[in-house]
Amino acid sequence: MAKQPKSIEDLSPKERKELEEKLKNMSPEEIAELQKQQCIFCQIVQGKVPSKKVYEDKTCIAILDIQPATKGHLLLIPKEHYGIMPQVPDEVLQHLFKTSKRLSQALLRGLKVSGTSIFIANGQAAGQRALHFMIHLIPRKDGDKIIDDTEKLIERSMQEKVRIAVQDKILSLMGVEKQTTLKDLKKDINNELGEDEPEDDEEPKAEVIDDDEDETQNDLEEKKPVSKSKAKKKAIPKSKSKKSKSKKIEEDDGGNSEDNIFDDNNKSKDEDVTLDDIANLFK
Amino acid sequence: MKCEYCDLQDKNEDIIYADEDIVIAVKDKITTPGQITVYPKKHYPIMEMVPEDTLNKCVYAAKKVSMAVFESLEAQGTNILVRNGLSAGQSVPHFGIEIIPRREEDNLNLQWKGKEVLEDEMDMILEAIEMDLKKPSMAEAKEEIIVDKGETQAVLEKEGDNYLLKSLKRIP
């Protein structure tokens, strides 16, 4: 992959066909490498594409956005190519925020604005346009209405649902002991559901979900096969396992639920918090 | 008036995680359901006032939360947002990082319209920002003087260097 990158427009039809053929046979790693070569922000980092550089150190650079939301809109870019935040190593991410803190101050003082929005988009659904992870720093003034992020009150029950859905995962990612989490969860779910909870093998719910999203999923799979189908496949067993886990605990408290995490989809679902509910939260 | 985030720390049921430095919570006033907020336990109004260690912990947690919502809420994307200052839409005077789960059809539009800015103007802005970056960061300088008074004093005596000069050098 050491060849000099060539813009697609420069290719002859024959070369183009060859490239397409080559792409088909490439491993995901090779494709990632190629994306890096094509990435405009990697080229900016390397100085191959001109930019108005505000700041640079060995990890990152900050440049002025050429199509800014407001005057002074900065892009803080790690020099290494990462797609989305979960791929950025902790130290790099922390360095970027530390730098954001300083840059934000420069905007507040230097440009005499009264606020800054620090904004990251991860994934197309979140409005990410470039494939290179970056932090936007947008100088803000009163009433400029640059980002429509009005907040509204939600119901307590919704809050609860969200918390129950994510708590387990977050705590395990934060390195908190699972036992305490599961006990909490058990308490929560018991409180919510009372006694009546079907015991086992209730698969229909899962199928309904698949049906519902079949169309969109197929569409999406064509566009971005990796992210969508992966997320889908991962998400279903995971969130289901949460439920089966809590059920397991009811049966034998303190039992090791670790084996259940990747359990197959055949376990029961509780009535109140379903994947549907959680998915509908977004609509 | 008490701060909403400081208040929230007593209301256990909204809190997903808390340690001595940071809190992860589900707020009731949000942009979209599923939104989760990470904030320092201590009251810092804006990002510029948050000490580096605490900010690092917040960032670490925000990354984990963003990873979790992909799986647990079936999000297809996330937005990470810091509203820094009232005019940036900050409604609680306490620094926090919002993790906003996104889906293709969620009817949320957090995008802005890009403006064309003249070359001259870009250069003026660039200059203004660069100028400020040369100045010491007030919050950092102040903070370190307060926190490491002892150490700083020792360093000062040893090296005979002016603290402010030192921090000037340190600033990019």
Side-chain angles (χ1 to χ4, degrees):
Chain A
M1 303 303 305
K3 276 180 205 158
Q4 193 64 26
K6 214 172 171 186
S7 147
I8 303 232
E9 288 77 42
D10 296 342
L11 297 175
S12 71
K14 197 187 154 206
E15 280 176 311
R16 206 175 173 135
K17 218 165 204 168
E18 277 172 18
L19 184 71
E20 276 167 17
E21 202 53 42
K22 218 167 116 194
L23 278 172
K24 256 187 231 163
N25 299 325
M26 273 179 171
S27 69
E29 290 79 23
E30 287 174 318
I31 290 178
E33 185 61 32
L34 192 74
Q35 275 178 341
K36 264 182 221 181
Q37 287 180 8
Q38 295 291 333
C39 170
I40 178 86
F41 289 98
C42 286
Q43 290 174 15
I44 287 175
V45 167
Q46 291 158 16
K48 286 179 189 163
V49 170
S51 64
K52 298 225 182 280
K53 209 180 289 173
V54 170
Y55 170 80
E56 177 165 15
D57 63 28
K58 62 181 193 304
T59 322
C60 61
I61 65 166
I63 59 168
L64 287 175
D65 193 326
I66 50 164
Q67 280 215 314
T70 63
K71 286 170 194 169
H73 179 165
L74 299 180
L75 306 177
L76 181 58
I77 306 164
K79 286 189 168 171
E80 194 63 42
H81 182 95
Y82 307 106
I84 53 171
M85 191 158 94
Q87 297 168 337
V88 184
D90 291 341
E91 321 79 66
V92 175
L93 195 62
Q94 286 166 342
H95 178 82
L96 289 172
F97 268 86
K98 182 184 155 197
T99 313
S100 297
K101 175 172 142 181
R102 183 66 189 89
L103 288 171
S104 163
Q105 195 183 8
L107 296 178
L108 292 176
R109 279 197 310 200
L111 301 181
K112 300 191 170 52
V113 292
S114 48
T116 51
S117 291
I118 290 116
F119 182 88
I120 299 170
N122 293 310
Q124 238 177 14
Q128 186 177 18
R129 289 175 209 163
L131 287 167
H132 197 118
F133 174 83
M134 68 181 71
I135 301 181
H136 294 263
L137 291 118
I138 306 172
R140 300 289 301 271
K141 283 177 179 164
D142 269 336
D144 60 8
K145 297 211 171 74
I146 295 299
I147 298 176
D148 178 23
D149 56 354
T150 31
E151 295 173 297
K152 45 186 179 282
L153 281 168
I154 53 161
E155 283 174 28
R156 176 90 249 136
S157 61
M158 184 81 95
Q159 240 174 312
E160 272 293 290
K161 276 180 194 168
V162 170
R163 189 177 63 79
I164 291 170
V166 297
Q167 183 156 39
D168 212 25
K169 187 77 203 165
I170 291 178
L171 286 177
S172 89
L173 285 171
M174 290 298 290
V176 176
E177 280 284 308
K178 274 219 172 95
Q179 293 299 340
T180 50
T181 327
L182 287 167
K183 264 175 202 154
D184 285 351
L185 248 175
K186 179 193 161 195
K187 217 172 74 190
D188 289 339
I189 289 178
N190 280 347
N191 284 346
E192 281 224 344
L193 299 180
E195 318 292 303
D196 94 274
E197 192 185 7
E199 251 321 303
D200 257 298
D201 297 338
E202 289 219 353
E203 232 182 317
K205 273 265 164 61
E207 277 169 13
V208 170
I209 292 163
D210 287 345
D211 287 347
D212 272 346
E213 303 210 12
D214 236 8
E215 264 183 31
T216 32
Q217 200 185 341
N218 284 343
D219 285 347
L220 283 162
E221 249 161 13
E222 274 175 32
K223 277 179 222 153
K224 35 176 201 167
V226 186
S227 60
K228 172 67 187 179
S229 55
K230 219 180 179 179
K232 197 78 194 168
K233 270 175 209 151
K234 258 193 200 159
I236 290 178
K238 272 282 159 65
S239 23
K240 214 170 281 174
S241 73
K242 174 176 69 69
K243 284 151 205 159
S244 45
K245 251 188 282 169
S246 48
K247 176 120 347 133
K248 176 94 176 202
I249 290 294
E250 277 174 36
E251 286 157 18
D252 57 332
D253 214 341
N256 190 0
S257 42
E258 201 63 39
D259 6 339
N260 266 347
I261 286 182
F262 296 103
D263 211 349
D264 232 329
N265 303 349
N266 304 324
K267 278 279 173 173
S268 67
K269 315 196 55 151
D270 46 63
E271 291 294 342
D272 213 34
V273 188
T274 66
L275 288 176
D276 264 348
D277 284 340
I278 293 159
N280 283 334
L281 296 182
F282 297 91
K283 282 170 188 161
Chain B
M1 198 182 81
K2 257 192 102 180
C3 161
E4 209 177 296
Y5 285 2
C6 293
D7 270 354
L8 204 58
Q9 293 176 17
D10 310 324
K11 274 204 279 164
N12 197 28
E13 65 264 38
D14 295 328
I15 292 180
I16 292 173
Y17 170 91
D19 61 22
E20 62 274 21
D21 297 313
I22 62 159
V23 178
I24 304 176
V26 184
K27 285 197 302 173
D28 56 351
K29 203 180 168 207
I30 49 168
T31 305
T32 193
Q35 181 175 334
I36 293 162
T37 309
V38 178
Y39 59 88
K41 207 164 220 179
K42 272 178 103 179
H43 183 88
Y44 304 106
I46 56 169
M47 185 160 83
E48 282 76 356
M49 296 167 176
V50 183
E52 194 179 322
D53 288 354
T54 312
L55 185 61
N56 280 348
K57 281 195 85 172
C58 288
V59 170
Y60 176 82
K63 179 179 159 186
K64 299 295 180 204
V65 173
S66 130
M67 286 158 88
V69 297
F70 271 99
E71 290 188 11
S72 304
L73 297 182
E74 292 194 48
Q76 294 162 350
T78 55
N79 284 125
I80 316 298
L81 180 63
V82 178
R83 298 176 170 97
N84 208 30
L86 207 63
S87 52
Q90 188 177 2
S91 56
V92 181
H94 190 132
F95 167 79
I97 303 177
E98 317 274 1
I99 292 87
I100 304 173
R102 298 293 307 273
R103 289 171 74 90
E104 299 278 2
E105 69 282 10
D106 62 8
N107 287 327
L108 203 61
N109 183 17
L110 298 177
Q111 278 304 319
W112 50 83
K113 282 205 185 80
K115 290 190 185 77
E116 298 294 335
V117 179
L118 294 173
E119 187 82 16
D120 297 4
E121 222 168 346
M122 291 275 261
D123 288 331
M124 273 168 58
I125 293 163
L126 186 70
E127 205 178 312
I129 297 171
E130 278 177 336
M131 280 276 283
D132 188 88
L133 285 174
K134 283 182 193 132
K135 294 184 206 163
S137 144
M138 296 306 283
E140 269 172 353
K142 215 165 101 189
E143 179 189 299
E144 277 173 39
I145 286 172
I146 294 166
V147 177
D148 318 326
K149 214 169 198 167
E151 278 177 46
T152 315
Q153 215 61 47
V155 172
L156 278 180
E157 279 158 23
K158 229 188 261 170
E159 298 182 8
D161 206 345
N162 181 296
Y163 178 78
L164 276 175
L165 259 175
K166 263 181 62 107
S167 68
L168 249 178
K169 276 186 214 154
R170 206 161 42 82
I171 300 299

